Amino acid sequence: MLRNTLVRRANAQVAKSTAKVSSASTQRVAKRPPKVKYYMGIAYEGLRHVYHGFRLFFINTRLAWKYSRQLKKGVALTRRERLLLESSTKDLLRLVPFSFFIVVPFAELLLPVALKMFPGLIPSTFESESQGRNRLYGDAMKTLRARQRAMDYLSATALTTFDKEQQEVIRRAVMGDSIAPKDIRLVAPYFGHDGPFSVFKVPDNIVVGLGRTVGVYKWYHSLLPTRVLSPIMRRSIIRRYHEAREDDRLIRLEGLDGMNNDELVKANQTRGMRWTEGTETLRVQLEWWNSLAQDDSVPYNTLWWIKPTRYSIRKSMNNLPVEQRRQLLGIQNLPETVRASLETLCETVDTMSSISDEPNSADKLVEKIEKITSSAEKSDSDIGFEGLQEAVGAYLTEENVKRMFEKLSKKKLPEESVVVSDVIECIGQETHNSSHVVSTVFDAFDYGAGSKPITEKALLGIGARCRKAVRPPPAPKAAEEKPKSTSTEEKSIEAAPPGKR
């Protein structure tokens, strides 16, 4: 009987422990969110995003209709109302192809592909803040090569035209340092109608790059040759200048204090200024722009070449998180081998939360970039002093010069002549040297001005003088060792006794 009692107690304890274990496992399973709930959450967020997008779209459309009626009655619109009217009209036009992906079943699966091919397809009301900033970063990276080409032309011409103080301003602008209004006023006379950087005097390839940076270059312009495209770009750039002047007038009329952060970002971005700064910095930069635009001694073309900037690129990079630094440097578009090292470097830099505590720790990326830039400049100078004349002289043969002039003449009008900047860029591409280095050779032969015309005969003369200036090769070692051995024998004969000579 005692044995049966003990067995029953043991079985009861085992059953109780088993029940506890099963209940604990049931609670763990219950805590895990099922996949259905996860996907339902994603679908809910997507529907919520579409709902608010349409809601904002209809609100903007109603306001735009109201403003259009006021405009027909002769009532003047404010700058904010005019921008809302323009954006709502564009959204209405974008909604026609965008509605195809909403109406047709399963067509939304192709929406990412369509947005990749046409980034401006989606209406602005359906665009989140992160998507908008990513689009702005993408637009900036598309014009990076054009801006670099314009800066190369500006630097090459400044080396031969500007004085030292003006060259320092150009160097700071190229390196991304802060540029104050007084610096821009110092170099402004060169950007007037008769200056070397006038829209009507710069070469065709430079004016196409300037059109990209200004924002008038469209995708269909790539179908046209440069010779046909350059007059179109010049007229479009001048038209863009007039539109920007009108916008500047409205900003001065209404004041900068009433503009919010989004409006300041858009105003700085459309003018090509740095738009990743804080609200106060954006307002200061826009104020500098307006003050220079009102100055009669500063041509309006100057502001599109050299932008007023409050802080240097070093300080601007400190104020950005890691992800935006990657986007700003275009790391996503680089090869895999280069991208891995730069991403590691970006991750080692502290983010915004710790920048205020350790300001020097966030400068690692900029220091790395400066080291790369200095090493590139050093290599360019070595090439210039050691083998540049030899490379230029070897290339400037009669056959190469004739072919180069035929190629450059095709891109120009019949009354236009080939200038030094065109030749420098072509030689730099053929000899794999930078245009800055090649310009030093032409500067030595009094052809430093980038807008100065040049002929085939003059270019052949430069090539002949470069080949003549190349040092002769050193004498062979055998020829050097032979006189040494002879002199050694003479010394031994002189040192020998008279009987053994």
Side-chain angles (χ1 to χ4, degrees), residues 32-233:
R32 295 176 183 175
K35 291 185 177 180
V36 177
K37 187 176 180 180
Y38 171 73
Y39 289 117
M40 285 181 63
I42 294 178
Y44 172 75
E45 290 297 329
L47 292 174
R48 184 167 169 266
H49 179 74
V50 172
Y51 165 73
H52 286 293
F54 272 110
R55 182 167 172 263
L56 183 60
F57 174 78
F58 286 119
I59 291 174
N60 289 347
T61 305
R62 187 169 64 250
L63 290 174
W65 175 254
K66 175 184 175 182
Y67 296 151
S68 63
R69 293 179 63 184
Q70 291 180 1
L71 197 61
K72 288 180 179 179
K73 293 179 181 179
V75 180
L77 300 179
T78 62
R79 180 179 179 272
R80 184 176 297 174
E81 293 172 350
R82 183 175 59 83
L83 292 177
L84 179 62
L85 179 61
E86 292 177 358
S87 63
S88 300
T89 306
K90 292 179 181 178
D91 289 341
L92 280 171
L93 297 176
R94 290 173 184 157
L95 189 64
V96 176
F98 182 71
S99 59
F100 168 79
F101 298 96
I102 300 175
V103 175
V104 178
F106 302 105
E108 61 272 9
L109 299 177
L110 299 176
L111 184 59
V113 180
L115 292 178
K116 185 68 176 178
M117 298 175 62
F118 306 100
L121 180 64
I122 184 173
S124 59
T125 56
F126 294 91
E127 193 176 60
S128 62
E129 184 178 357
S130 60
Q131 290 174 345
R133 294 187 73 87
N134 291 339
R135 179 177 53 81
L136 292 179
Y137 281 121
D139 294 341
M141 292 308 301
K142 289 178 182 177
T143 61
L144 180 62
R145 189 173 181 180
R147 285 185 281 124
Q148 184 65 35
R149 182 181 299 175
M151 287 294 104
D152 288 343
Y153 176 77
L154 178 62
S155 303
T157 310
L159 287 174
T160 57
T161 309
F162 294 1
D163 56 23
K164 290 186 177 181
E165 190 175 2
Q166 293 169 340
Q167 289 178 8
E168 179 63 21
V169 175
I170 301 301
R171 187 196 66 81
R172 287 167 52 198
V174 173
M175 295 299 295
D177 292 340
S178 60
I179 302 295
K182 62 178 183 179
D183 300 326
I184 298 178
R185 289 188 176 95
L186 189 63
V187 298
Y190 294 94
F191 296 86
H193 189 273
D194 298 328
F197 299 105
S198 172
V199 178
F200 300 100
K201 290 190 176 182
V202 293
D204 293 344
N205 58 338
I206 302 300
V207 81
V208 172
L210 185 62
R212 287 179 180 269
T213 59
V214 170
V216 298
Y217 187 91
K218 306 300 181 183
W219 63 269
Y220 51 83
H221 287 148
S222 59
L223 304 176
L224 301 175
T226 307
R227 183 177 177 180
V228 179
L229 180 60
S230 58
I232 301 175
M233 283 290 102

